[in-house]
Amino acid sequence: MNKTERGRFGSKLGAILAAAGSAVGLGNVWRFPYETGSNGGAAFILIYLLCILFLGLPVVLAEFAVGRHGKTNAARAFTLMGGSRHWRLIGFLGVLTGFLILSYYGVAAGWTLEYVFQSGINGFAGKGPEQFAADFQQFASDPLRPMLCLFIFLLLTCGIVVLGVQKGIERGAKMMMSLLFVFVLILVVCSLSLPNAMAGVEFLFKPDFSKVTGATFLAAMGQAFFSLSLGMGCLCTYASYFRSDEKLMNDAFSVASIDTCIAILSGLIIFPAAFSVGISPDAGPSLVFITLPNVFQQAFSALPLVSYCFSLLFYLLLAMAALTSSISMLEVVTAFVSEELQIRRRWAALGSSLFCLLLGICCSLSLGPWADYKIWGMGFFDLFDFLTAKILLPGGGFLIAVYVGWFADKKILRDEITNGGTVAVPLYGVFRFLLRYVAPTGILAIFLDQMGVF
Ligand code: PHE
């Protein structure tokens, strides 16, 4: 057997759930609610939906087409659609982004394991708001504990990737995504049953356009790309394992719909609970780790068992969502290393995970003992977040839209989207228009905004 023989998703459902697993992650349950909270609620969500539809979806479809056509790792796939070989730069950038994101995402994902543990041993019982803030600060800046969590998290990620495309990624996604849907629904029902929950629902669905500024628009676009895992070859790598009869347009719609539903349902878990105990929803990144455990304690103070189960389910949900996303990041890197260096998947995954562990340790230490070491005024954790979410992802998305929209072979593209002309795709013209004009302009706007140009 060839050392690097490629795997393939076994079923259509498996393929969609794997791609949706990549998209649904900390971005939905952690980032989306705090972005919505700090950007004024429903108006932000409305703009976010428009961004998913007009900017995100065309790039998802473009990544799918490149991946399935190339049937290889992200770097090589971008040389196979035509145009100059220099376009493989997109893939190299993607692999680099994969290493960097996984390193700091793994640290935050490790925190979720700690919170699963704490809620499991009922460690939140009887604590007040100050205590939650102090505990989180102390934990995140501890020199050892977060690293242990990071190690366990990367071990889980690597273990699943090593099992391969069908037995690891696809099976893991099917199991975890199904559990995730069930957990989300239980939590939404619990949260909506709280007194004054409707204030939270109103915050989510009743737009107040007076709060919309240019920054709201740009924040929504950034969130859309982060949440859809766009711009770093993740979806392209997964599509390289798709079967040839997979209908890419339908898959792109399914993945974007699942991702958006989970984000909105997360909002329906978090805001009704927060409003019910009168806590402001605009706490920023600490919302999930400081504000929420407190909300859960207060909201269900009369029912300690419900409070216990609610917290445990919520952090389990967060950990699983993070895991299906980190698997996809490691897969981009593993496929590249294994196919380009011709080494077995398991060694490629293990080596890449070790490298991410080292980088991740630096990120984790930057929140504690290394807090004084700064590059451009940022510690490693913040620097990696800034470089990836604000520069490399939008930059990659822009390049993909330009490459596939303007330089890739038109016939190959059409053949991929229509499965060689066997599937009618009435929206093909709209897709091309969005990809060529709307997406690059929109992404460029985020990019410039995040560089501080506006
Ligand atoms: N989409 C993931 C999330 O929502 C994050 C991610 C970004 C995953 C880029 C892969 C690539 O958490």
Side-chain angles (χ1 to χ4, degrees):
M1 179 178 130
N2 180 341
K3 274 189 199 169
T4 58
E5 194 173 317
R6 306 202 93 243
R8 216 153 64 111
F9 290 125
S11 65
K12 289 190 181 179
L13 181 68
I16 291 178
L17 286 183
S22 166
V24 174
L26 293 178
N28 304 58
V29 195
W30 168 58
R31 205 172 186 276
F32 175 78
Y34 84 67
E35 284 284 348
T36 305
S38 12
N39 284 291
F44 172 83
I45 296 185
L46 203 67
I47 300 170
Y48 170 78
L49 293 179
L50 294 176
C51 294
I52 295 268
L53 206 59
F54 293 112
L55 308 181
L57 260 170
V59 183
V60 172
L61 197 50
E63 276 208 37
F64 277 172
V66 173
R68 196 193 39 198
H69 174 72
K71 298 202 175 25
T72 179
N73 62 75
R76 201 171 290 192
F78 281 96
T79 60
L80 299 178
M81 286 276 277
S84 147
R85 278 184 61 76
H86 295 311
W87 287 107
R88 78 196 142 154
L89 175 76
I90 301 177
F92 288 131
L93 274 179
V95 173
L96 174 74
T97 313
F99 272 119
L100 296 180
I101 290 201
L102 184 54
S103 307
Y104 86 89
Y105 195 90
V107 174
W111 299 341
T112 66
L113 291 186
E114 166 75 11
Y115 274 61
V116 169
F117 176 70
Q118 287 299 336
S119 34
I121 59 167
N122 205 13
F124 296 148
K127 286 187 181 161
E130 283 86 27
Q131 189 63 39
F132 281 115
D135 283 357
F136 178 70
Q137 293 307 343
Q138 200 193 353
F139 164 70
S141 58
D142 188 277
L144 278 181
R145 211 173 157 85
M147 279 180 253
L148 181 68
C149 294
L150 166 69
F151 175 75
I152 299 175
F153 186 80
L154 286 179
L155 201 66
L156 286 172
T157 308
C158 180
I160 296 179
V161 169
V162 165
L163 283 176
V165 174
Q166 241 179 64
K167 290 204 182 113
I169 301 176
E170 183 173 352
R171 216 165 48 177
K174 274 185 180 163
M175 260 167 50
M176 284 189 276
M177 291 304 282
S178 329
L179 273 177
L180 190 133
F181 289 131
V182 176
F183 285 10
V184 166
L185 291 179
I186 297 177
L187 290 170
V188 169
V189 172
C190 281
S191 191
L192 286 178
S193 64
L194 289 168
N196 202 28
M198 279 308 136
V201 178
E202 201 165 290
F203 177 77
L204 265 182
F205 294 121
K206 206 163 147 199
D208 172 3
F209 288 102
S210 67
K211 299 232 170 71
V212 175
T213 62
T216 321
F217 211 92
L218 294 162
M221 287 199 281
Q223 174 61 21
F225 280 91
F226 184 85
S227 191
L228 288 171
S229 310
L230 281 184
M232 57 157 283
C234 231
L235 299 180
C236 160
T237 303
Y238 272 17
S240 73
Y241 307 127
F242 281 4
R243 295 161 11 156
S244 49
D245 60 349
E246 200 76 54
K247 294 178 184 150
L248 297 186
M249 179 78 91
N250 293 1
D251 289 358
F253 272 113
S254 306
V255 171
S257 322
I258 295 175
D259 187 56
T260 309
C261 284
I262 298 287
I264 295 198
L265 290 173
S266 301
L268 277 177
I269 297 172
I270 290 164
F271 295 116
F275 274 88
S276 141
V277 293
I279 283 182
S280 158
D282 58 358
S286 62
L287 183 69
V288 158
F289 293 106
I290 298 179
T291 315
L292 272 192
N294 178 42
V295 165
F296 297 157
Q297 285 309 308
Q298 288 188 37
F300 302 103
S301 56
L303 301 162
L305 185 65
V306 177
S307 155
Y308 172 83
C309 295
F310 197 95
S311 310
L312 185 60
L313 276 191
F314 180 80
Y315 289 106
L316 270 175
L317 162 85
L318 203 58
M320 281 191 316
L323 190 57
T324 49
S325 294
S326 63
I327 289 170
S328 70
M329 297 170 202
L330 185 61
E331 180 56 30
V332 174
V333 177
T334 301
F336 172 78
V337 173
S338 140
E339 287 170 8
E340 295 304 305
L341 304 183
Q342 289 288 308
I343 53 176
R344 282 189 191 279
R345 267 181 72 86
R346 77 175 82 116
W347 298 122
L350 210 64
S352 309
S353 305
L354 270 178
F355 188 63
C356 288
L357 178 67
L358 291 180
L359 287 178
I361 288 177
C362 300
C363 291
S364 188
L365 286 173
S366 75
L367 299 170
W370 289 5
D372 291 337
Y373 298 115
K374 304 245 185 248
I375 301 172
W376 300 317
M378 287 176 272
F380 283 111
F381 187 96
D382 296 333
L383 179 70
F384 282 18
D385 177 60
F386 173 81
L387 272 181
T388 54
K390 300 198 172 152
I391 298 185
L392 292 169
L393 286 185
F398 173 78
L399 291 177
I400 292 171
V402 171
Y403 170 64
V404 180
W406 294 89
F407 294 91
D409 186 296
K410 285 192 203 84
K411 175 161 174 357
I412 297 182
L413 180 64
R414 183 180 266 280
D415 276 352
E416 278 306 325
I417 309 288
T418 61
N419 290 357
T422 57
V423 178
V425 181
L427 291 178
Y428 186 78
V430 180
F431 155 69
R432 280 262 297 167
F433 176 77
L434 293 176
L435 191 68
R436 282 163 73 89
Y437 302 102
V438 181
T441 323
I443 300 166
L444 195 64
I446 308 174
F447 195 55
L448 295 178
D449 169 71
Q450 295 189 339
M451 296 299 288
V453 174
F454 296 136

